[in-house]
Amino acid sequence: MCQISVYVEKDGVEKLLLEDVTNLSIETTGVKVSTLFEGAKEVADVVIGSIDFMAGKVLLKKTA
């Protein structure tokens, strides 16, 4: 099973949001991420900036 780490970038600074993410979905207000053992967490006002499969990293960028 492949899990990924999700980071949020704001003003050029990356901050770890959640590790071992198993599901990521695009919502009308942002992005929802979840792990196997934790509930879903919705992050508002972000877009996917990049996905690095080799590093296991998703970078979300703040839009507001």
Side-chain angles (χ1 to χ4, degrees):
M1 180 181 308
C2 294
Q3 289 126 357
I4 202 159
S5 296
V6 176
Y7 293 80
V8 176
E9 179 186 342
K10 184 175 181 181
D11 300 326
V13 178
E14 293 181 13
K15 181 180 175 186
L16 179 64
L17 174 69
L18 201 56
E19 292 182 304
D20 301 325
V21 171
T22 55
N23 191 3
L24 184 147
S25 60
I26 307 301
E27 304 294 322
T28 56
T29 59
V31 174
K32 187 188 307 183
V33 294
S34 60
T35 68
L36 282 177
F37 303 109
E38 294 180 34
K41 179 184 272 191
E42 190 165 338
V43 186
D45 302 323
V46 295
V47 295
I48 296 176
S50 65
I51 301 173
D52 186 340
F53 293 102
M54 292 296 288
K57 177 180 176 181
V58 172
L59 181 62
L60 305 176
K61 292 190 175 195
K62 281 284 196 184
T63 59

